[in-house]
Amino acid sequence: MGENLFIILLGSILVNNFIMSRFLGICPFLGVSRKVETAVGMSLAVTFVMALASLLTYLVQVYLLDALGLGYLQTIVFILVIAVLVQLVEMAIGRFSPSLYRALGVYLPLITTNCAVLGAAILNITEGYSLLGSVVNGTGSALGFGLAIVLFAGVRERLENADIPAVFKGVPSTLIAAGLMSLAFLGFQGLI
């Protein structure tokens, strides 16, 4: 029976959102979501890395690790593949958009250790997705990550200008907003 790519895509964006449902990728979610512009840049970088990592890790798993009986090396090999991709993205952003490169700062190389990227790569294998299904799931997961981080950046920008008690300014209001946003995404659970 074939995979329903639309269901995989919709599920990975809304229902199984890596940040709001699986709680993976929280570090860049909280660290890069101060401004919408920076959040969009991080989203694009993560989308590129996660989609390409899904493709490459599937190929590595099937044609290298499984073929040679080296499945126990999956995590370490996947991290190496992701690290190479992040280095390529970092060099490209540094070359073509120095302002975005400076704005992302330390969070750009942290995509290498972003558990959402590794989680998507491993989930593609454990769920038994085909090559196309893996790419769709990885891309959808990245789009869901981007949706969450950009929406949250918009909320944080509004919170900066909001008249809230001093005790709630900063981290407390950020975490309360993140919790409320996670509850909002919980409403998608019955969708698929």
Side-chain angles (χ1 to χ4, degrees), residues 15-117:
V15 179
N16 298 313
N17 185 286
F18 268 64
I19 294 174
M20 296 297 156
S21 296
R22 297 183 187 266
F23 306 110
L24 296 173
I26 300 295
C27 179
F29 173 71
L30 293 174
V32 184
S33 62
R34 284 188 170 88
K35 300 276 183 215
V36 171
E37 180 183 343
T38 309
V40 169
M42 176 60 101
S43 299
L44 293 173
V46 168
T47 300
F48 178 77
V49 169
M50 201 178 288
L52 201 53
S54 293
L55 172 73
L56 294 177
T57 55
Y58 179 88
L59 294 173
V60 165
Q61 179 72 37
V62 171
Y63 295 109
L64 183 67
L65 298 178
D66 288 347
L68 298 175
L70 299 173
Y72 60 91
L73 293 175
Q74 180 188 61
T75 303
I76 203 159
V77 170
F78 283 12
I79 289 172
L80 289 172
V81 169
I82 293 165
V84 168
L85 289 173
V86 170
Q87 286 300 308
L88 293 172
V89 169
E90 190 174 2
M91 289 187 304
I93 290 176
R95 171 101 168 105
F96 297 111
S97 182
S99 61
L100 179 60
Y101 181 80
R102 285 188 300 279
L104 291 174
V106 70
Y107 294 100
L108 188 57
L110 284 178
I111 295 174
T112 301
T113 58
N114 185 342
C115 53
V117 179

Side-chain angles (χ1 to χ4, degrees), residues 148-159:
I149 198 171
V150 170
L151 288 175
F152 192 59
V155 169
R156 286 186 75 179
E157 282 184 358
R158 291 191 56 118
L159 282 173

